[in-house]
Amino acid sequence: FTFSAWVKRGALSANETIFEIWTGISGGTGVNLRLNSSDQIVVGFDTYSGGSGFAGTLVSTAVFRDPSAWYHIVFTADFSAGSFTSFPTVYVNNVSQTLSVSGSTYGSWSSGSISCVTGFLGAFSSTGTPYAGFYLDGYQAEVNFVDGQALTPSYFGQFNATSGVWEPIAYAGSYGTKGFHLNFSNGTSTTKLCYDSSGNSNNWTC
């Protein structure tokens, strides 16, 4: 899959989740993209069976401490074989991030392929309901989830020819069965605010 979002932080030095998906409604196997209290990006692999447990993490070398900036974060991974078949990749503003393994059980994570049965934006959960300790204090915009493809940031952004700033462009590819696009453009109600505009009708609950 590929997850792409523009993220603006509202607070620093806090554990905050950007995106998480699980294989089941009340747990199973999950993967999340989050920020830790040192302001590093973390890719976490989770298992849940009667009690939550981390199965290792990947942590970025870089830190992200500018609350005035919009960060374009792209996360790609391949779990089609029931475990990671290639090293997950994280890009920030079109730059591939160096990730280090943290947690001795990372290599044993193999309890099921990710199928996005349950997903969360800006929240963490292992039981089907958000856990209050990991909410994102900030903003997300132009959220794209592409099912079945590992894409590069150039599908979602480009450098402005005049300013040189990395900026969003419209994604023109396919989304796959469980893919979605949240542009948060319909503010007539909280329900419509999180409608999927990819054509898949994978609407979210705000």
Side-chain angles (χ1 to χ4, degrees):
F1 66 81
T2 301
F3 173 81
S4 168
W6 294 76
V7 179
K8 188 174 189 291
R9 304 197 66 185
L12 304 179
S13 303
N15 292 304
E16 299 182 333
T17 303
I18 298 170
F19 174 64
E20 181 183 46
I21 53 177
W22 285 88
T23 58
I25 298 299
S26 298
T29 299
V31 61
N32 62 70
L33 181 70
R34 63 183 193 271
L35 293 150
N36 64 16
S37 58
S38 297
D39 301 310
Q40 298 162 294
I41 288 178
V42 176
V43 177
F45 301 89
D46 311 310
T47 58
Y48 183 88
S49 180
S52 61
F54 290 103
T57 58
L58 302 173
V59 182
S60 70
T61 302
V63 296
F64 303 91
R65 293 174 174 157
D66 185 355
S68 68
W70 281 96
Y71 295 109
H72 180 217
I73 301 176
V74 175
F75 170 41
T76 70
D78 182 2
F79 300 102
S80 58
S83 62
F84 53 88
T85 58
S86 61
F87 208 67
T89 304
V90 174
Y91 304 86
V92 179
N93 296 338
N94 200 38
V95 177
S96 180
Q97 300 300 303
T98 300
L99 303 174
S100 60
V101 176
S102 176
S104 59
T105 59
Y106 170 81
S108 65
W109 186 92
S110 60
S111 55
S113 60
I114 296 297
S115 58
C116 197
V117 172
T118 307
F120 295 90
L121 286 172
F124 173 87
S125 175
S126 59
T127 60
T129 56
Y131 174 63
F134 286 80
Y135 284 121
L136 174 67
D137 183 343
Y139 301 89
Q140 293 196 51
E142 276 300 307
V143 176
N144 286 280
F145 181 82
V146 179
D147 180 17
Q149 299 182 72
L151 304 175
T152 61
S154 61
Y155 284 82
F156 310 98
Q158 65 182 11
F159 288 108
N160 184 289
T162 301
S163 66
V165 173
W166 184 255
E167 59 187 17
I169 60 173
Y171 173 63
S174 60
Y175 282 89
T177 303
K178 296 184 178 180
F180 55 84
H181 174 212
L182 304 180
N183 59 18
F184 308 109
S185 62
N186 191 336
T188 58
S189 70
T190 55
T191 300
K192 294 180 179 180
L193 184 65
C194 290
Y195 273 4
D196 172 23
S197 61
S198 73
N200 281 344
S201 297
N202 290 327
N203 299 321
W204 282 62
T205 300
C206 287

